[in-house]
Amino acid sequence: MISFEHFQSLIKLYIPNNFRFKCFDCGDCCRYEAGYIFLLDNEINLISKSLNINKEDFLRNFTFKFSNSVHSLKEKENLDCVFWDNSIRNGKGGCSIYKIRPVQCKDFPFWISTFSSKQNFEEQANRCKGIMAKDGKLYSSKEVYKLVYMDIKKRETQYKSFLDDETIKILYY
Ligand code: SF4
């Protein structure tokens, strides 16, 4: 994996000067829209164990194959995440596996895709009221780079399955 210093000098991210973020816990990023939530091997083991089912049943019922080595969580018919539960948190709804949710969920919005262009950034900001929230935490450009770098490091198998060859070469070799 590329060093952080190299990452910062080679990868161009779009980061507004006054980037702020705060999660309002609204669940909008878990609902209403089709998308991918990729799973690491240890997450597959952990979640299937917590559901008291074997790994094969978990993969069949709750995920679909994105590539040979990567699975993504399914959505319900209404496009909510398969683990969104309307009945929890006094009917406010929430993630039924919150404590063991995938790294991809934990790391949002610090994905390389969020900051890869102004257009991508604005699209994410339209989906998530926490991005650029006035009372959100102010992040320096270096802090954003660091968080995006950490996410890329943690989710290497996943990123290798969908980034273009040139970017993979820069990041991981
Ligand atoms: S959409 Fe944004 S503010 Fe709402 S839960 Fe997701 S990250 Fe938090």
Side-chain angles (χ1 to χ4, degrees), residues 21-30 84 105 108-109 124 127-131:
F21 175 67
K22 168 188 180 174
C23 180
F24 289 94
D25 211 9
C26 63
D28 287 356
C29 54
C30 318
W84 180 264
C105 305
F108 182 81
Q124 281 296 30
R127 288 190 193 104
C128 166
K129 55 173 76 75
I131 294 178

PDB file of all heavy atoms in Angstrom, residues 21-30 84 105 108-109 124 127-131, ligand 1:
ATOM      1  N   PHE A  21     -18.500  18.105   8.951  1.00  0.00           N
ATOM      2  CA  PHE A  21     -19.389  16.943   8.953  1.00  0.00           C
ATOM      3  C   PHE A  21     -19.876  16.649  10.363  1.00  0.00           C
ATOM      4  O   PHE A  21     -19.148  16.767  11.331  1.00  0.00           O
ATOM      5  CB  PHE A  21     -18.686  15.697   8.396  1.00  0.00           C
ATOM      6  CG  PHE A  21     -19.537  14.458   8.493  1.00  0.00           C
ATOM      7  CD1 PHE A  21     -20.704  14.335   7.726  1.00  0.00           C
ATOM      8  CD2 PHE A  21     -19.213  13.435   9.379  1.00  0.00           C
ATOM      9  CE1 PHE A  21     -21.508  13.214   7.831  1.00  0.00           C
ATOM     10  CE2 PHE A  21     -20.018  12.309   9.487  1.00  0.00           C
ATOM     11  CZ  PHE A  21     -21.158  12.191   8.706  1.00  0.00           C
ATOM     12  N   LYS A  22     -21.152  16.274  10.411  1.00  0.00           N
ATOM     13  CA  LYS A  22     -21.748  15.828  11.671  1.00  0.00           C
ATOM     14  C   LYS A  22     -22.850  14.849  11.295  1.00  0.00           C
ATOM     15  O   LYS A  22     -23.634  15.133  10.383  1.00  0.00           O
ATOM     16  CB  LYS A  22     -22.356  17.042  12.368  1.00  0.00           C
ATOM     17  CG  LYS A  22     -23.255  16.709  13.532  1.00  0.00           C
ATOM     18  CD  LYS A  22     -23.957  17.960  14.021  1.00  0.00           C
ATOM     19  CE  LYS A  22     -24.864  17.618  15.184  1.00  0.00           C
ATOM     20  NZ  LYS A  22     -25.469  18.804  15.792  1.00  0.00           N
ATOM     21  N   CYS A  23     -22.891  13.689  11.943  1.00  0.00           N
ATOM     22  CA  CYS A  23     -23.962  12.739  11.633  1.00  0.00           C
ATOM     23  C   CYS A  23     -25.186  13.065  12.479  1.00  0.00           C
ATOM     24  O   CYS A  23     -25.100  13.151  13.705  1.00  0.00           O
ATOM     25  CB  CYS A  23     -23.497  11.309  11.895  1.00  0.00           C
ATOM     26  SG  CYS A  23     -24.807  10.131  11.508  1.00  0.00           S
ATOM     27  N   PHE A  24     -26.323  13.260  11.818  1.00  0.00           N
ATOM     28  CA  PHE A  24     -27.578  13.553  12.517  1.00  0.00           C
ATOM     29  C   PHE A  24     -28.362  12.281  12.840  1.00  0.00           C
ATOM     30  O   PHE A  24     -29.478  12.350  13.325  1.00  0.00           O
ATOM     31  CB  PHE A  24     -28.449  14.493  11.671  1.00  0.00           C
ATOM     32  CG  PHE A  24     -27.911  15.894  11.591  1.00  0.00           C
ATOM     33  CD1 PHE A  24     -27.091  16.277  10.537  1.00  0.00           C
ATOM     34  CD2 PHE A  24     -28.191  16.812  12.587  1.00  0.00           C
ATOM     35  CE1 PHE A  24     -26.580  17.565  10.462  1.00  0.00           C
ATOM     36  CE2 PHE A  24     -27.680  18.101  12.521  1.00  0.00           C
ATOM     37  CZ  PHE A  24     -26.876  18.479  11.459  1.00  0.00           C
ATOM     38  N   ASP A  25     -27.793  11.151  12.448  1.00  0.00           N
ATOM     39  CA  ASP A  25     -28.408   9.887  12.789  1.00  0.00           C
ATOM     40  C   ASP A  25     -29.800   9.737  12.154  1.00  0.00           C
ATOM     41  O   ASP A  25     -30.695   9.135  12.736  1.00  0.00           O
ATOM     42  CB  ASP A  25     -28.531   9.829  14.331  1.00  0.00           C
ATOM     43  CG  ASP A  25     -28.432   8.417  14.834  1.00  0.00           C
ATOM     44  OD1 ASP A  25     -28.105   7.536  14.036  1.00  0.00           O
ATOM     45  OD2 ASP A  25     -28.712   8.205  16.033  1.00  0.00           O
ATOM     46  N   CYS A  26     -29.957  10.333  10.988  1.00  0.00           N
ATOM     47  CA  CYS A  26     -31.282  10.325  10.343  1.00  0.00           C
ATOM     48  C   CYS A  26     -31.539   9.032   9.574  1.00  0.00           C
ATOM     49  O   CYS A  26     -32.687   8.683   9.292  1.00  0.00           O
ATOM     50  CB  CYS A  26     -31.398  11.511   9.390  1.00  0.00           C
ATOM     51  SG  CYS A  26     -30.211  11.446   8.027  1.00  0.00           S
ATOM     52  N   GLY A  27     -30.481   8.328   9.205  1.00  0.00           N
ATOM     53  CA  GLY A  27     -30.644   7.068   8.485  1.00  0.00           C
ATOM     54  C   GLY A  27     -30.836   7.234   6.979  1.00  0.00           C
ATOM     55  O   GLY A  27     -31.004   6.246   6.262  1.00  0.00           O
ATOM     56  N   ASP A  28     -30.785   8.454   6.493  1.00  0.00           N
ATOM     57  CA  ASP A  28     -31.004   8.652   5.048  1.00  0.00           C
ATOM     58  C   ASP A  28     -29.979   7.899   4.193  1.00  0.00           C
ATOM     59  O   ASP A  28     -30.287   7.500   3.077  1.00  0.00           O
ATOM     60  CB  ASP A  28     -30.949  10.150   4.682  1.00  0.00           C
ATOM     61  CG  ASP A  28     -32.193  10.885   5.155  1.00  0.00           C
ATOM     62  OD1 ASP A  28     -33.113  10.227   5.688  1.00  0.00           O
ATOM     63  OD2 ASP A  28     -32.242  12.122   4.999  1.00  0.00           O
ATOM     64  N   CYS A  29     -28.768   7.736   4.719  1.00  0.00           N
ATOM     65  CA  CYS A  29     -27.750   7.052   3.928  1.00  0.00           C
ATOM     66  C   CYS A  29     -27.956   5.531   3.911  1.00  0.00           C
ATOM     67  O   CYS A  29     -27.252   4.822   3.193  1.00  0.00           O
ATOM     68  CB  CYS A  29     -26.350   7.392   4.435  1.00  0.00           C
ATOM     69  SG  CYS A  29     -26.128   7.070   6.182  1.00  0.00           S
ATOM     70  N   CYS A  30     -28.895   5.049   4.720  1.00  0.00           N
ATOM     71  CA  CYS A  30     -29.148   3.601   4.783  1.00  0.00           C
ATOM     72  C   CYS A  30     -30.430   3.235   4.035  1.00  0.00           C
ATOM     73  O   CYS A  30     -30.828   2.072   4.019  1.00  0.00           O
ATOM     74  CB  CYS A  30     -29.329   3.137   6.219  1.00  0.00           C
ATOM     75  SG  CYS A  30     -28.201   3.855   7.400  1.00  0.00           S
ATOM     76  N   TRP A  84     -32.059  -2.379   7.902  1.00  0.00           N
ATOM     77  CA  TRP A  84     -32.804  -1.249   8.458  1.00  0.00           C
ATOM     78  C   TRP A  84     -34.057  -1.809   9.133  1.00  0.00           C
ATOM     79  O   TRP A  84     -34.787  -2.604   8.562  1.00  0.00           O
ATOM     80  CB  TRP A  84     -33.216  -0.251   7.370  1.00  0.00           C
ATOM     81  CG  TRP A  84     -33.970   0.903   7.960  1.00  0.00           C
ATOM     82  CD1 TRP A  84     -35.337   1.035   8.044  1.00  0.00           C
ATOM     83  CD2 TRP A  84     -33.420   2.059   8.600  1.00  0.00           C
ATOM     84  NE1 TRP A  84     -35.658   2.205   8.695  1.00  0.00           N
ATOM     85  CE2 TRP A  84     -34.500   2.856   9.046  1.00  0.00           C
ATOM     86  CE3 TRP A  84     -32.115   2.491   8.842  1.00  0.00           C
ATOM     87  CZ2 TRP A  84     -34.314   4.059   9.710  1.00  0.00           C
ATOM     88  CZ3 TRP A  84     -31.940   3.693   9.504  1.00  0.00           C
ATOM     89  CH2 TRP A  84     -33.030   4.464   9.930  1.00  0.00           C
ATOM     90  N   CYS A 105     -19.823   1.491   6.224  1.00  0.00           N
ATOM     91  CA  CYS A 105     -20.837   2.365   6.860  1.00  0.00           C
ATOM     92  C   CYS A 105     -20.160   3.274   7.881  1.00  0.00           C
ATOM     93  O   CYS A 105     -20.423   4.474   7.938  1.00  0.00           O
ATOM     94  CB  CYS A 105     -21.899   1.533   7.570  1.00  0.00           C
ATOM     95  SG  CYS A 105     -22.699   0.315   6.536  1.00  0.00           S
ATOM     96  N   PHE A 108     -18.250   6.298   6.345  1.00  0.00           N
ATOM     97  CA  PHE A 108     -18.953   7.322   5.571  1.00  0.00           C
ATOM     98  C   PHE A 108     -18.860   8.663   6.283  1.00  0.00           C
ATOM     99  O   PHE A 108     -18.989   8.716   7.490  1.00  0.00           O
ATOM    100  CB  PHE A 108     -20.430   6.922   5.393  1.00  0.00           C
ATOM    101  CG  PHE A 108     -21.203   7.906   4.571  1.00  0.00           C
ATOM    102  CD1 PHE A 108     -21.141   7.882   3.197  1.00  0.00           C
ATOM    103  CD2 PHE A 108     -21.974   8.899   5.183  1.00  0.00           C
ATOM    104  CE1 PHE A 108     -21.832   8.809   2.429  1.00  0.00           C
ATOM    105  CE2 PHE A 108     -22.662   9.832   4.426  1.00  0.00           C
ATOM    106  CZ  PHE A 108     -22.594   9.784   3.048  1.00  0.00           C
ATOM    107  N   PRO A 109     -18.657   9.788   5.614  1.00  0.00           N
ATOM    108  CA  PRO A 109     -18.544   9.972   4.164  1.00  0.00           C
ATOM    109  C   PRO A 109     -17.109   9.968   3.641  1.00  0.00           C
ATOM    110  O   PRO A 109     -16.868  10.432   2.542  1.00  0.00           O
ATOM    111  CB  PRO A 109     -19.157  11.365   3.990  1.00  0.00           C
ATOM    112  CG  PRO A 109     -18.685  12.112   5.210  1.00  0.00           C
ATOM    113  CD  PRO A 109     -18.648  11.094   6.330  1.00  0.00           C
ATOM    114  N   GLN A 124     -23.126  13.690  -2.951  1.00  0.00           N
ATOM    115  CA  GLN A 124     -23.188  13.105  -1.597  1.00  0.00           C
ATOM    116  C   GLN A 124     -23.757  14.118  -0.608  1.00  0.00           C
ATOM    117  O   GLN A 124     -24.525  13.764   0.284  1.00  0.00           O
ATOM    118  CB  GLN A 124     -21.800  12.656  -1.106  1.00  0.00           C
ATOM    119  CG  GLN A 124     -21.303  11.352  -1.648  1.00  0.00           C
ATOM    120  CD  GLN A 124     -22.130  10.136  -1.256  1.00  0.00           C
ATOM    121  OE1 GLN A 124     -23.331  10.209  -1.044  1.00  0.00           O
ATOM    122  NE2 GLN A 124     -21.478   8.995  -1.189  1.00  0.00           N
ATOM    123  N   ARG A 127     -27.369  14.136  -0.594  1.00  0.00           N
ATOM    124  CA  ARG A 127     -27.988  12.960   0.039  1.00  0.00           C
ATOM    125  C   ARG A 127     -27.897  13.024   1.557  1.00  0.00           C
ATOM    126  O   ARG A 127     -28.741  12.489   2.258  1.00  0.00           O
ATOM    127  CB  ARG A 127     -27.267  11.683  -0.407  1.00  0.00           C
ATOM    128  CG  ARG A 127     -27.533  11.301  -1.818  1.00  0.00           C
ATOM    129  CD  ARG A 127     -26.974   9.900  -2.091  1.00  0.00           C
ATOM    130  NE  ARG A 127     -26.959   9.661  -3.516  1.00  0.00           N
ATOM    131  CZ  ARG A 127     -25.864   9.692  -4.275  1.00  0.00           C
ATOM    132  NH1 ARG A 127     -24.690   9.882  -3.736  1.00  0.00           N
ATOM    133  NH2 ARG A 127     -25.942   9.497  -5.563  1.00  0.00           N
ATOM    134  N   CYS A 128     -26.811  13.639   2.069  1.00  0.00           N
ATOM    135  CA  CYS A 128     -26.536  13.590   3.510  1.00  0.00           C
ATOM    136  C   CYS A 128     -26.516  14.999   4.097  1.00  0.00           C
ATOM    137  O   CYS A 128     -25.651  15.806   3.754  1.00  0.00           O
ATOM    138  CB  CYS A 128     -25.184  12.901   3.735  1.00  0.00           C
ATOM    139  SG  CYS A 128     -24.535  13.128   5.397  1.00  0.00           S
ATOM    140  N   LYS A 129     -27.455  15.271   5.002  1.00  0.00           N
ATOM    141  CA  LYS A 129     -27.542  16.615   5.594  1.00  0.00           C
ATOM    142  C   LYS A 129     -26.363  16.913   6.523  1.00  0.00           C
ATOM    143  O   LYS A 129     -26.148  18.055   6.904  1.00  0.00           O
ATOM    144  CB  LYS A 129     -28.867  16.785   6.341  1.00  0.00           C
ATOM    145  CG  LYS A 129     -29.152  15.727   7.410  1.00  0.00           C
ATOM    146  CD  LYS A 129     -30.392  16.046   8.234  1.00  0.00           C
ATOM    147  CE  LYS A 129     -31.692  15.774   7.526  1.00  0.00           C
ATOM    148  NZ  LYS A 129     -32.053  14.341   7.431  1.00  0.00           N
ATOM    149  N   GLY A 130     -25.593  15.875   6.883  1.00  0.00           N
ATOM    150  CA  GLY A 130     -24.456  16.074   7.787  1.00  0.00           C
ATOM    151  C   GLY A 130     -23.231  16.650   7.101  1.00  0.00           C
ATOM    152  O   GLY A 130     -22.363  17.240   7.740  1.00  0.00           O
ATOM    153  N   ILE A 131     -23.167  16.470   5.754  1.00  0.00           N
ATOM    154  CA  ILE A 131     -22.011  16.991   5.021  1.00  0.00           C
ATOM    155  C   ILE A 131     -22.188  18.492   4.863  1.00  0.00           C
ATOM    156  O   ILE A 131     -23.197  18.949   4.336  1.00  0.00           O
ATOM    157  CB  ILE A 131     -21.884  16.292   3.642  1.00  0.00           C
ATOM    158  CG1 ILE A 131     -21.548  14.804   3.842  1.00  0.00           C
ATOM    159  CG2 ILE A 131     -20.821  16.964   2.785  1.00  0.00           C
ATOM    160  CD1 ILE A 131     -21.452  13.988   2.562  1.00  0.00           C
TER     161      ILE A 131
HETATM  162  S1  SF4 B   1     -27.423  10.629   5.904  1.00  0.00           S
HETATM  163 FE1  SF4 B   1     -25.680  11.685   6.863  1.00  0.00          FE
HETATM  164  S2  SF4 B   1     -26.534  12.635   8.692  1.00  0.00           S
HETATM  165 FE2  SF4 B   1     -27.994  11.053   8.036  1.00  0.00          FE
HETATM  166  S3  SF4 B   1     -27.367   9.180   9.171  1.00  0.00           S
HETATM  167 FE3  SF4 B   1     -26.325   9.130   7.190  1.00  0.00          FE
HETATM  168  S4  SF4 B   1     -24.326  10.077   7.645  1.00  0.00           S
HETATM  169 FE4  SF4 B   1     -25.688  10.655   9.319  1.00  0.00          FE
END
